């Protein structure tokens, strides 16, 4: 099974008090919780795609964290992954480390990047059943106002209709734009790498909760 997660920020103790306000009593407690959540969810044969900002620690201490995690690992570079520049970092646990990737999962093309891609490959494609053929998974934004802005873009895009010409009749038609973009921020999943299907369902519930809150 393929699983996805972003912005774990191992060794970033400041996130307990600012921005994320993760609320752990110490860095050690945060690490213990994240590692336990990961290993309780991931099997040794699962493929885990980390969408950047895995660690802000030094190469040697980041190596120790990586060795404790289950699964076959893949990494999309984040802006805080400075350990990658150090020769002491052991890359052998990762099948690849890239800035961008396109894979297939559960019948969909999946676009992977640390940063959200607004016009991603296959964004407008739908199945015969009206389901999105592609998904764009990203990180970087955490749960900040930037994520609010991205969500506005997603809502506006989904509400829009793309003018097209029917290939058989030549008549003008309008089609929905699925825009399946999902922020795989680790706090949204309680630090557990989730499958694509799980992220889609979690994202759906988050948007529904936000709509209900905003309508009050």
């Amino acid at each position: 099974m393929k699983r996805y997660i972003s912005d774990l920020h191992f060794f970033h103790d400041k996130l307990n008090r600012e921005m994320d306000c993760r609320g752990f009593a110490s860095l050690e407690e945060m690490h213990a919780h994240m590692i336990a959540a990961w290993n309780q969810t991931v099997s040794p044969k699962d493929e885990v795609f980390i969408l950047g900002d895995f660690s802000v620690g030094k190469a040697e201490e980041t190596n120790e964290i990586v060795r404790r995690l289950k699964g076959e690992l893949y990494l999309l570079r984040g802006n805080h992954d400075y350990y990658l520049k150090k020769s002491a970092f052991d890359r052998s646990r990762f099948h690849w480390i890239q800035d961008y990737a396109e894979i297939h999962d559960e019948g969909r093309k999946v676009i992977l990047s640390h940063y959200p891609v607004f016009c991603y490959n296959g964004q407008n494609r739908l199945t015969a059943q009206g389901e999105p053929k592609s998904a764009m998974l990203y990180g970087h934004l955490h749960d900040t106002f930037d994520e609010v802005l991205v969500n506005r873009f997603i809502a506006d895009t989904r509400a829009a209709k793309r003018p097209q010409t029917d290939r058989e009749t030549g008549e003008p038609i309008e089609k929905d734009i699925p825009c399946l973009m999902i922020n795989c921020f680790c706090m949204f999943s309680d630090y557990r790498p989730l499958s694509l299907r799980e992220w889609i369902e979690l994202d759906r519930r988050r948007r529904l909760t936000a709509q209900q809150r905003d309508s009050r």
Side-chain angles (χ1 to χ4, degrees):
M1 177 180 288
K2 292 181 174 66
R3 296 182 179 275
Y4 311 88
I5 195 165
S6 74
D7 297 278
L8 288 150
H9 283 259
F10 282 100
F11 300 99
H12 203 161
D13 190 41
K14 192 175 182 179
L15 289 183
N16 278 326
R17 303 179 303 276
E18 300 177 13
M19 194 166 81
D20 288 356
C21 299
R22 296 189 178 190
F24 295 101
S26 66
L27 190 65
E28 292 73 22
E29 182 181 291
M30 183 178 84
H31 287 178
H33 180 88
M34 293 198 297
I35 292 170
W38 180 299
N39 288 334
Q40 289 166 6
T41 306
V42 176
S43 76
K45 292 185 178 180
D46 283 345
E47 297 178 285
V48 184
F49 296 83
I50 304 165
L51 302 176
D53 285 0
F54 175 73
S55 168
V56 301
K58 297 178 181 178
E60 295 85 349
E61 56 192 5
T62 300
N63 288 338
E64 292 300 317
I65 296 292
V66 172
R67 294 188 188 108
R68 297 174 63 185
L69 300 177
K70 294 180 182 178
E72 302 291 326
L73 306 184
Y74 302 77
L75 177 64
L76 284 300
R77 290 184 187 88
N79 55 301
H80 286 287
D81 290 317
Y82 301 120
Y83 57 88
L84 293 175
K85 300 177 181 179
K86 305 299 181 180
S87 59
F89 179 65
D90 181 9
R91 295 171 175 248
S92 64
R93 278 282 280 120
F94 293 86
H95 287 270
W96 49 248
I97 299 172
Q98 300 176 184
D99 294 315
Y100 175 92
E102 296 185 8
I103 63 173
H104 285 86
D105 188 12
E106 297 184 7
R108 285 186 171 93
K109 180 190 292 290
V110 182
I111 314 302
L112 303 174
S113 171
H114 180 57
Y115 308 100
V117 178
F118 289 89
C119 296
Y120 58 89
N121 190 4
Q123 182 186 39
N124 301 309
R125 299 185 65 194
L126 292 166
T127 67
Q129 294 73 36
E131 293 294 319
K133 281 191 174 182
S134 296
M136 197 285 121
L137 305 186
Y138 64 92
H140 186 57
L141 304 186
H142 297 234
D143 191 13
T144 64
F145 185 65
D146 287 332
E147 174 67 0
V148 173
L149 295 177
V150 171
N151 287 333
R152 289 178 185 172
F153 169 83
I154 293 170
D156 287 347
T157 303
R158 289 178 178 178
K161 298 287 185 178
R162 179 175 292 279
Q164 293 184 346
T165 301
D166 188 283
R167 292 182 179 180
E168 295 183 359
T169 66
E171 295 295 320
I173 58 174
E174 293 183 330
K175 287 195 173 182
D176 293 329
I177 308 172
C179 194
L180 185 55
M181 296 175 64
I182 300 174
N183 182 355
C184 296
F185 179 40
C186 62
M187 289 185 71
F188 291 159
S189 63
D190 192 20
Y191 308 96
R192 297 178 297 117
L194 301 182
S195 69
L196 178 60
R197 188 171 303 177
E198 289 170 330
W199 273 115
I200 290 172
E201 175 57 21
L202 178 59
D203 185 69
R204 185 193 68 79
R205 293 199 309 267
R206 283 203 311 112
R207 293 183 189 283
L208 180 59
T209 300
Q211 289 173 2
Q212 292 171 343
R213 182 185 63 243
D214 294 343
S215 65
R216 291 172 186 167

